[in-house]
Amino acid sequence: MTTTADAGPVAAGALLRSAARYSGARCLALSLVSTAATGTGLLLPAALGRTLDLLIAHAPAARWTLSCAGLVLLLALLDMAEALLDGTTTARTTAWLRRLLTGHVLALGPRATARFGPGELVARLVGSAAQAGTAPAALAASLAALVGPVGGVVALGLIDPWLAAVFLAGAPVLALLLRAFARDSAQCVARYQHTQGRIASALAEAVGGARTIRAAGTADRETARILRPLPELSRAGQAMWRAQGRAAARAVATAPLLQLGVVAVAGLLLVRHRLSVGEVLAASRYAVLATGVGVLVGQLATLVRARAAAGRLGEVLAEPAPGHGGRRLPPGPGQLELRRVTARRGGRTVLDGVDLVVPGGTTLAVVGRSGAGKSLLAAVAGRLADPDSGEVSLDGVPLPELAHDELRRAVGYAFERPALFGTTIEDTIGFGLSEPSPDRVREAARLACADAFVRRLPHGYATACEDAPRSGGESQRLGLARAFAHGGRLLVLDDALSSLDTVTEHHIARALLTGDASCTRLLIAHRAATAARADTVAWLEAGRIRAVGPHTRLWKDPAYRQVFGETSETTWGEAAEGTKTTESAESAESAESAESAETADMEEHAPDPRGRINAADTPGSSHPTTDADGSSHPAVGTPGSSHRPTGAAQEERR
């Protein structure tokens, strides 16, 4: 299916055709049942007329009377079947549209909410999909609805050609009424649905910030903001109903005139003995069927609303989802490379020509001020987002060329505010794994320091996730456990340690640094202690790499210290000693807990908290390294990486 954002009607038509094909069997059955019901309705006036003529002539009419009764019963059964098929077809089509839209939104990822907003997406998923889902059933019923008027005109012609001629003289007026109604309704429906989406978006924002609104005491103000488009919604709704009312009123004014014309001519023919009384009765009923504009107006209104709703769905589906190749990763340590990566958001360049190499099995911390582009770099690294230009590769394979399953198995993520899916805590940690083993889940929880508090829950790992009270730090630990259980070659932590206390962060950092050497770690860090534990630090400033090197060397730059809110007078030695003292004190307190033996063992093998790492052991850096004695020497560079300080940094060092 092909849809384009700039061709709304084409996109809507293509989507509705796809929906009709999906429910094709049911639509065919509905069309046949509706047509059979219409045909039965066309036979009934003729049977009633014949029965009346026999009764007037005092001729035997029992068989015709039973025929009329059978037609009435059959018509009732067909109406029931039509209602059942109409409801099930609409439900089936709506479910298909929602699955299609949900899958596409999830494939788009963050781009979907950036383009439309969560509230607008929910409004389209719920409201627009439901309205568009009525189209196949309405279309199938519309075909039968056309059979009624056409059959009525044919029946009038069979009774007497003059009756059909009288009716056809006024038929163009009915056609113009329907055309005007379709035009006016389409505009009103589009405005109504657009305003609905605005209200839904504002409501979603307010629900997300409910605590802030309550703390500020601005509930009334937010209510007024959310409902501000309500008068516009009311005007659009009233205009829509006025359009339908005008069409119905004109039809009511026109149809009786046509019916009266047919009955008058039939009476004239009766006087001239060209028609019988029964035929006059049948002609009057066929005139009503021929002017069945009310049914057509209702079906047309449904189709107009469905088409407008399908256009809104088509706008979302027109957003191109990222494609995937079919390649597999070769054996490798998980080396991540970014070459000339540029990414823009909202017309602003967030990442500007970033070159970065993270050698396999090492840990790189990315630091920078707010807005420097750290989170977008983390998203690009594992292809949660695509750059506008440049290339990101893992073990030499560009990420877009990897098969979808291969990419997602190779890259694990942990976030600052993880979304915890799954029925139980065990399901949450094993989320994304085809067959997560209990041992793997518990080992991941231990690495993330989550095992202790999970075991204290009423049912341990079997506790329902929604019933488990959690702090922000505990939620982060579950998110980290999920990332550890996922495994893979690359682990991206997007500020996933921000809500942890110092001791817990230290233990998790130890697990990261001493873990599987085949796993590469990329950390978005806001704390100096986190950056200090990484093998290498990439200093991001205004979307560009300002410097790459060990934390110990970068700390000598006052501008680097200010990234963490440290004053220029603070030395790295003082900060490191403070961190070490704090960690030692808190580790001593934690040693008194039930996990004292494990904690003591972790402390015994913990790395130097000052993070004195020789950058020569980190091939991703082209900067000189600083040893413990303060001497420096050149480091081994990695081809393809560009880590030169910017002109501002060089000037500052002068």
Side-chain angles (χ1 to χ4, degrees):
M1 180 186 67
T2 303
T3 58
T4 56
D6 58 346
V10 176
L15 183 59
L16 292 181
R17 285 192 294 272
S18 298
R21 285 194 296 270
Y22 176 77
S23 300
R26 290 176 181 269
C27 288
L28 179 61
L30 177 59
S31 181
L32 292 175
V33 170
S34 301
T35 304
T38 303
T40 303
L42 289 171
L43 290 175
L44 186 58
L48 289 173
R50 179 59 178 165
T51 303
L52 180 59
D53 285 339
L54 291 174
L55 291 174
I56 292 175
H58 301 287
R63 188 175 61 181
W64 282 98
T65 303
L66 291 175
S67 298
C68 290
L71 288 172
V72 171
L73 179 60
L74 178 61
L75 188 60
L77 293 175
L78 290 172
D79 285 342
M80 291 173 57
E82 182 180 0
L84 180 63
L85 284 171
D86 183 281
T88 55
T89 301
T90 297
R92 176 183 172 85
T93 307
T94 300
W96 178 77
L97 287 170
R98 285 174 175 165
R99 284 196 300 270
L100 179 67
L101 190 68
T102 301
H104 190 73
V105 167
L106 293 178
L108 286 175
R111 185 190 304 175
T113 53
R115 168 73 170 80
F116 299 99
E120 178 70 21
L121 287 173
V122 170
R124 298 188 188 211
L125 179 66
V126 177
S128 298
Q131 289 182 331
T134 63
L139 183 61
S142 296
L143 298 176
L146 286 172
V147 172
V150 172
V153 174
V154 172
L156 288 174
L158 292 175
I159 295 173
D160 192 282
W162 281 103
L163 299 178
V166 169
F167 181 85
L168 291 175
V173 178
L174 295 177
L176 291 175
L177 289 177
L178 292 176
R179 182 179 180 183
F181 168 71
R183 183 187 63 249
D184 296 341
S185 294
Q187 298 174 352
C188 298
V189 168
R191 287 198 300 269
Y192 187 87
Q193 293 178 351
H194 176 70
T195 308
Q196 262 187 331
R198 288 171 53 196
I199 294 176
S201 297
L203 179 60
E205 293 174 359
V207 170
R211 290 189 299 177
T212 302
I213 293 171
R214 186 172 183 181
T218 58
D220 293 340
R221 190 187 310 167
E222 285 301 307
T223 301
R225 182 183 70 86
I226 295 169
L227 299 180
R228 190 172 296 135
L230 201 57
E232 184 179 347
L233 182 71
S234 176
R235 287 192 296 271
Q238 290 176 12
M240 185 170 56
W241 290 115
R242 279 197 299 269
Q244 187 167 346
R246 283 195 301 269
R250 291 167 182 169
V252 168
T254 305
L257 294 176
L258 294 175
Q259 295 169 14
L260 286 174
V262 170
V263 172
V265 173
L268 203 61
L269 295 174
L270 175 63
V271 171
R272 295 182 180 183
H273 303 289
R274 291 178 55 180
L275 296 180
S276 66
V277 174
E279 289 174 329
V280 172
L281 173 64
S284 66
R285 296 302 305 160
Y286 285 130
V288 173
L289 291 174
T291 56
V293 181
V295 177
L296 289 175
V297 167
Q299 297 294 345
L300 188 58
T302 300
L303 288 173
V304 167
R305 288 194 294 268
R307 190 175 182 82
R312 287 168 57 77
L313 298 181
E315 289 178 359
V316 180
L317 296 172
E319 287 290 316
H324 295 273
R327 293 184 62 180
R328 301 290 173 182
L329 284 171
Q335 177 166 298
L336 175 69
E337 297 184 43
L338 285 78
R339 298 187 181 279
R340 306 304 301 168
V341 168
T342 297
R344 301 177 183 87
R345 291 295 182 269
R348 182 174 70 92
T349 300
V350 182
L351 296 177
D352 188 4
V354 172
D355 286 316
L356 194 62
V357 176
V358 187
T362 65
T363 301
L364 174 74
V366 180
V367 305
R369 294 182 180 274
S370 177
K374 301 184 297 298
S375 290
L376 184 55
L377 188 147
V380 166
R383 213 191 170 202
L384 293 185
D386 284 330
D388 293 280
S389 63
E391 182 181 85
V392 183
S393 62
L394 185 62
D395 282 329
V397 181
L399 298 189
E401 297 181 10
L402 287 173
H404 177 269
D405 293 343
E406 181 79 357
L407 173 63
R408 295 279 68 93
R409 280 195 300 266
V411 183
Y413 268 94
F415 303 98
E416 179 183 6
R417 295 183 178 86
L420 301 178
F421 300 104
T423 306
T424 64
I425 295 295
E426 185 166 353
D427 293 338
T428 297
I429 296 176
F431 184 78
L433 300 176
S434 56
E435 295 180 358
S437 66
D439 291 340
R440 184 173 181 177
V441 167
R442 283 154 180 76
E443 176 62 22
R446 282 191 290 271
L447 289 174
C449 298
D451 181 70
F453 87 80
V454 170
R455 291 185 183 278
R456 288 195 297 269
L457 294 173
H459 303 289
Y461 285 88
T463 303
C465 190
E466 60 183 10
D467 296 335
R470 303 181 304 274
S471 66
E474 288 169 341
S475 294
Q476 276 198 348
R477 280 185 268 172
L478 289 178
L480 285 164
R482 180 174 60 195
F484 291 157
H486 178 277
R489 302 190 186 192
L490 174 64
L491 178 61
V492 181
L493 275 63
D494 187 359
D495 202 19
L497 307 176
S498 60
S499 297
L500 304 180
D501 60 86
T502 307
V503 176
T504 303
E505 181 188 353
H506 174 71
H507 294 335
I508 293 176
R510 186 195 71 88
L512 285 171
L513 293 172
T514 61
D516 187 359
S518 64
C519 178
T520 304
R521 280 83 58 181
L522 177 67
L523 285 73
I524 304 301
H526 289 83
R527 294 178 179 176
T530 305
R533 295 185 179 104
D535 297 328
T536 314
V537 177
W539 179 6
L540 196 63
E541 184 173 85
R544 297 182 178 181
I545 298 294
R546 176 165 174 173
V548 174
H551 181 76
T552 51
R553 183 179 60 77
L554 296 179
W555 189 260
K556 297 177 180 180
D557 190 332
Y560 178 78
R561 294 199 297 271
Q562 290 175 2
V563 170
F564 304 99
E566 299 289 350
T567 61
S568 59
E569 289 79 9
T570 305
T571 66
W572 164 239
E574 293 171 353
E577 290 301 327
T579 303
K580 183 176 181 180
T581 303
T582 302
E583 290 181 354
S584 299
E586 296 192 11
S587 298
E589 294 178 3
S590 64
E592 298 175 2
S593 65
E595 300 175 338
S596 58
E598 179 184 0
T599 304
D601 179 69
M602 295 171 75
E603 286 296 302
E604 181 181 355
H605 298 88
D608 184 354
R610 286 175 287 185
R612 290 177 175 170
I613 302 167
N614 193 328
D617 298 331
T618 309
S621 174
S622 60
H623 293 279
T625 63
T626 303
D627 294 330
D629 59 0
S631 61
S632 63
H633 55 84
V636 179
T638 301
S641 63
S642 176
H643 302 144
R644 293 181 179 178
T646 62
Q650 294 173 346
E651 183 66 24
E652 186 174 357
R653 290 178 181 177
R654 294 194 190 103

